[in-house]
């Protein structure tokens, strides 16, 4: 995804940009509302701080929504129900109260993208040896054969394939793929991992790293 982060606090802006880039996104930054108005049309999604100084954040959100359907995630220190209602009515697709973690922000970006059906520019397919994952078509192919996977199985495999050399902890995977739904149990994760191994007919397609979590299987991907 091509993301635009609108934030006038330098430290917060840089932290969000780094985190979103780690999750595989292309990220542009705007340090003011006026700069955001010049750049948002080139983005697939806007992360907008409503607390910027030069323009009213709600008005900026309304301006973006009035001209296009680009998803907007609003961030604000104000967390009351009336404030959230105002943000959503101004056109935001999601509203996050500060302080918020970068992992949650990345998960919200993915959730809003799925919910709104936003499509990034260009081919985002991931090819890794015998595995190919197409996020736009939500298709998984193994040895050129189409694999029938569930929504969560796709999200899990896509996450691992997005950084094939990275070991993802159980907590990271549950946060990224399941968000708040099943965070209290790890058996759900194990079930989905085992199901993917079975469907790919390769027990090494996803490697268990004891005491940590899982990574994509490098050896089997090129066998």
């Amino acid at each position: 995804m091509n993301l635009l982060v609108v934030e006038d606090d330098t430290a917060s802006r840089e932290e969000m940009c780094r985190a979103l880039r780690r999750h595989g996104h292309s990220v542009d930054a705007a340090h003011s509302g006026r700069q955001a108005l010049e750049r948002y049309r080139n983005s697939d999604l806007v992360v907008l701080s409503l607390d910027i100084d030069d323009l009213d954040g709600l008005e900026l959100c309304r301006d973006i929504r009035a001209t296009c359907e680009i998803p907007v995630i609003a961030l604000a220190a104000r967390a009351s129900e009336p404030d959230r209602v105002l943000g959503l009515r101004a056109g935001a697709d999601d509203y996050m109260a500060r302080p918020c973690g970068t992992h949650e922000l990345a998960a919200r970006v993915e959730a809003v993208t799925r919910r709104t059906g936003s499509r990034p520019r260009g081919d985002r397919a991931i090819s890794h040896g015998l595995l190919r994952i197409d996020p736009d078509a939500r298709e998984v192919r193994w040895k050129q054969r189409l694999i029938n996977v569930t929504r969560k199985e796709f999200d899990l495999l896509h996450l691992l394939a997005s950084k094939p050399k990275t070991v993802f902890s159980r907590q990271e995977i549950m946060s990224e793929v399941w968000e708040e739904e099943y965070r209290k149990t790890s058996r759900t994760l194990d079930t989905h991992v085992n199901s993917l191994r079975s469907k790919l007919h390769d027990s090494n397609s996803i490697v268990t790293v004891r005491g940590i979590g899982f990574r994509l299987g490098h050896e089997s991907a090129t066998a």
Side-chain angles (χ1 to χ4, degrees):
M1 297 291 288
N2 297 313
L3 308 182
L4 176 65
V5 173
V6 185
E7 171 60 75
D8 55 10
D9 180 79
T10 301
S12 297
R13 184 175 65 248
E14 292 179 351
E15 181 182 13
M16 286 189 287
C17 288
R18 284 195 301 268
L20 293 170
R21 289 187 183 111
R22 284 197 300 269
H23 283 80
H25 301 293
S26 174
V27 185
D28 190 14
H31 58 72
S32 67
R34 290 182 175 84
Q35 193 174 60
L37 288 172
E38 299 172 356
R39 299 184 179 183
Y40 76 88
R41 294 178 186 274
N42 296 322
S43 305
D44 298 312
L45 183 146
V46 178
V47 178
L48 171 62
S49 170
L50 298 182
D51 302 316
I52 52 176
D53 290 332
D54 66 325
L55 294 178
D56 181 272
L58 291 174
E59 286 300 322
L60 177 56
C61 188
R62 292 188 187 98
D63 289 343
I64 294 174
R65 181 56 65 242
T67 59
C68 68
E69 295 299 319
I70 295 173
V72 176
I73 297 178
L75 309 179
R78 301 176 296 277
S80 68
E81 181 179 355
D83 288 318
R84 295 195 300 271
V85 170
L86 284 174
L88 295 172
R89 285 182 173 172
D93 296 275
D94 199 355
Y95 187 105
M96 295 183 65
R98 286 178 155 167
C100 59
T102 54
H103 287 296
E104 181 184 2
L105 174 60
R108 296 282 189 119
V109 168
E110 299 298 334
V112 168
T113 299
R114 292 194 300 268
R115 189 167 67 245
T116 61
S118 178
R119 287 289 185 267
R121 299 163 178 80
D123 182 11
R124 295 190 301 153
I126 298 174
S127 294
H128 187 72
L130 303 174
L131 178 68
R132 178 177 171 82
I133 302 174
D134 186 342
D136 294 326
R138 293 189 70 82
E139 288 183 350
V140 174
R141 290 185 180 272
W142 177 256
K143 299 179 181 180
Q144 300 184 345
R145 178 170 57 91
L146 183 64
I147 306 298
N148 183 26
V149 296
T150 68
R151 182 167 62 90
K152 291 302 184 183
E153 287 172 351
F154 180 91
D155 292 340
L156 169 58
L157 189 59
H158 182 260
L159 174 65
L160 297 177
S162 67
K163 296 181 180 178
K165 296 182 180 180
T166 298
V167 177
F168 289 86
S169 70
R170 287 177 171 271
Q171 183 178 359
E172 286 176 319
I173 295 173
M174 296 302 291
S175 176
E176 292 290 337
V177 176
W178 278 270
E179 300 166 31
E180 298 293 339
E181 294 179 60
Y182 301 107
R183 194 174 292 183
K184 293 183 179 180
T185 175
S186 63
R187 285 184 295 178
T188 297
L189 174 55
D190 293 324
T191 298
H192 282 72
V193 168
N194 290 332
S195 176
L196 282 171
R197 287 169 174 163
S198 176
K199 290 180 178 182
L200 296 174
H201 301 289
D202 188 344
S203 60
N204 295 316
S205 56
I206 299 176
V207 176
T208 300
V209 181
R210 292 189 178 278
I212 302 178
F214 300 93
R215 66 168 172 83
L216 193 67
H218 304 307
E219 297 81 2
S220 61
T222 56

